[in-house]
């Protein structure tokens, strides 16, 4: 038996509440996490699409990058990511990726520049649970003198997602309703000091709320007391993000995948592409110019049988052209969908393919993503 098999699972500040709510807990990224509640995955998924779902994402890594000023701290981070951090305005958040020397993705993460002159020289990072140790070691090894990483160990993180999320949040934290998509601010939630961003992982409007660990349960109970809110586990979190065409690190992205292959070239802003001063720039810029050898695409399956990660993708001629990285049933569509990588020349929407599941070929077509339209909040024009 390996060490990993005997290492006790970590808990979050909401683990006792999950048990009280009847959650089925499973190991995930070293934590004991709720995969579903008694209502079931499809009901949780649908509730999030129609109202608001509450997710415990406290297993994610939270940290501060701290230095003398924004110019210094952003320059340090830009040596590791391809995004333009220097121009990030106070109160704004950016999705980016840590890159290795070959242009492969070490992790995807969120970077926020907080509001306030007192926060100049501080960037708030949220990284994937399974990559915390890898990310932190990489970041610390690459920092110049005068810039440090401060890991946050005493806070929880919850996400409230869905079309009614803003109405629910406004009851407890009126300032949340004023946030634009991909912006963030410190505010009070029923008198509790919290850090709130208008972002999430479902394709819906919503928020991620960083809260002191000791206040996480009162905050979660306050939200769950609203009939518009239901607890949601990892199962529906996965089906929601798949419908939205969003990547899951370790499945759709890994250290061999470039941002171009992964279809997330929006992480590269113009200044960084022109400078070519990020890890793996030679590969990434070549792929931008000439096209990559493979691309992440979406698949819509015929029939009701799903195809899962690892299934071969074959051309109608029988040639193996790729592999699935995510797949499952899409409750919103009432049909199975999948994502994966296919060789260049086979990635055009409408391309017919075969997905091999336990020796059986399932008919499918390449389709554009997202599978379900994303409904992120956009502030009305003045």
């Amino acid at each position: 038996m390996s060490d990993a098999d005997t290492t006790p699972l970590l808990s979050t500040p909401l683990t006792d509440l999950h048990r009280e709510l009847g959650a089925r807990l499973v190991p995930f990224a070293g934590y004991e996490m709720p995969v579903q509640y008694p209502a079931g995955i499809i009901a949780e998924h649908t509730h999030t699409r129609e109202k608001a779902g509450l997710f415990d994402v406290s297993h994610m890594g939270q940290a501060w990058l701290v230095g003398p000023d924004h110019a210094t701290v952003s320059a340090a981070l830009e040596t590791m990511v391809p995004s333009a951090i220097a121009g990030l305005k106070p109160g704004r958040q950016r999705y980016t990726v840590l890159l290795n020397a070959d242009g492969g993705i070490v992790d995807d993460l969120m970077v926020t520049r907080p509001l306030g002159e007192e926060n100049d020289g501080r960037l708030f990072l949220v990284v994937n649970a399974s990559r915390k140790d890898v990310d932190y070691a990489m970041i610390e090894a690459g920092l110049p003198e005068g810039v440090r990483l401060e890991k946050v160990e005493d806070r929880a993180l919850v996400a409230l997602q869905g079309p009614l999320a803003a109405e629910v949040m406004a009851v407890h934290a009126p300032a949340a309703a004023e946030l634009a998509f991909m912006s963030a601010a410190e505010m009070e939630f029923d008198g509790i000091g919290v850090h709130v961003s208008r972002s999430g992982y479902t394709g819906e409007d919503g928020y991620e709320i960083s809260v002191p660990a000791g206040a996480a349960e009162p905050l979660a109970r306050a939200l769950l007391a609203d009939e518009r809110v239901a607890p949601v586990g990892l199962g529906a979190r996965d089906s929601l993000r798949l419908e939205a065409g969003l990547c899951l690190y370790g499945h759709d992205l890994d250290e061999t995948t470039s941002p171009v292959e992964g279809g997330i070239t929006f992480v590269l802003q113009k200044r960084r592409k022109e400078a070519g001063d990020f890890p793996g720039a030679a590969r990434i810029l070549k792929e931008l110019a000439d096209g990559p050898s493979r691309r992440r695409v979406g698949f819509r399956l015929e029939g009701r049988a799903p195809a899962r990660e690892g299934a071969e993708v074959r051309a109608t001629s029988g040639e193996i052209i790729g592999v699935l990285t995510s797949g499952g049933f899409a409750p919103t569509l009432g049909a199975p969908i999948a994502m994966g990588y296919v060789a260049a020349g086979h990635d055009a929407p409408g391309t017919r393919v075969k997905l091999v599941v336990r020796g059986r070929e399932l008919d499918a077509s390449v389709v554009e993503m997202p599978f379900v339209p994303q409904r992120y909040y956009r502030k009305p024009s003045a």
Side-chain angles (χ1 to χ4, degrees), residues 130-294:
S130 63
R131 303 296 286 176
K132 278 190 284 195
D133 292 344
V134 172
D135 294 355
Y136 292 160
M138 175 182 172
I139 292 170
E140 288 181 320
L143 292 178
E145 187 175 352
V147 181
R148 66 186 184 278
L149 184 73
E150 295 180 354
K151 303 169 193 175
V152 176
E153 308 286 3
D154 58 351
R155 295 182 76 86
L157 189 67
V158 298
L160 184 70
Q161 300 281 292
L164 302 186
E167 292 180 20
V168 172
M169 279 292 286
V171 174
H172 307 276
E178 301 303 314
L179 289 177
F181 177 58
M182 293 296 278
S183 64
E186 299 283 339
M187 63 186 69
E188 286 199 350
F189 180 108
D190 292 348
I192 303 167
V194 295
H195 177 273
V196 179
S197 67
R198 197 159 195 169
S199 57
Y201 192 54
T202 61
E204 297 289 343
D205 184 21
Y207 303 89
E208 292 197 341
I209 309 162
S210 176
V211 54
E217 187 172 318
L219 182 145
R221 287 187 184 276
L223 290 171
L224 291 169
D226 192 312
E227 63 181 9
R228 295 170 289 186
V229 180
V232 184
L234 293 172
R237 185 167 181 256
D238 193 53
S239 58
L240 288 159
R241 69 91 192 170
L242 179 56
E243 287 186 347
L246 301 175
C247 296
L248 179 62
Y249 192 87
H251 300 262
D252 311 296
L253 303 174
D254 60 29
E255 293 197 24
T256 70
T257 313
S258 76
V260 185
E261 292 176 328
I264 55 170
T265 54
F266 59 85
V267 301
L268 292 121
Q269 281 76 47
K270 182 180 179 181
R271 172 175 65 82
R272 303 304 309 278
K273 285 188 283 189
E274 291 176 345
D277 56 354
F278 51 86
R283 170 192 175 183
I284 290 171
L285 294 177
K286 184 176 188 303
E287 289 179 349
L288 283 171
D290 303 335
S293 61
R294 59 174 185 160

Side-chain angles (χ1 to χ4, degrees), residues 262-332:
I264 55 170
T265 54
F266 59 85
V267 301
L268 292 121
Q269 281 76 47
K270 182 180 179 181
R271 172 175 65 82
R272 303 304 309 278
K273 285 188 283 189
E274 291 176 345
D277 56 354
F278 51 86
R283 170 192 175 183
I284 290 171
L285 294 177
K286 184 176 188 303
E287 289 179 349
L288 283 171
D290 303 335
S293 61
R294 59 174 185 160
R295 289 187 188 273
R296 179 174 65 94
V297 298
F299 301 96
R300 182 76 180 259
L301 285 76
E302 298 178 9
R304 303 282 291 180
R308 308 286 182 183
E309 178 182 3
E312 279 183 358
V313 182
R314 294 179 183 170
T316 52
S317 63
E319 173 192 2
I320 298 173
I321 58 170
V323 63
L324 293 193
T325 52
S326 290
F329 185 76
T332 306

Side-chain angles (χ1 to χ4, degrees), residues 108-137:
D108 57 343
L109 66 154
M110 300 296 278
V111 181
T112 303
R113 182 181 179 185
L115 290 164
E117 290 184 9
E118 71 280 7
N119 286 316
D120 187 53
R122 293 172 65 84
L123 292 172
F124 182 56
L125 313 180
V126 177
V127 305
N128 280 302
S130 63
R131 303 296 286 176
K132 278 190 284 195
D133 292 344
V134 172
D135 294 355
Y136 292 160

Side-chain angles (χ1 to χ4, degrees), residues 64 76 355:
W64 288 95
L355 307 181

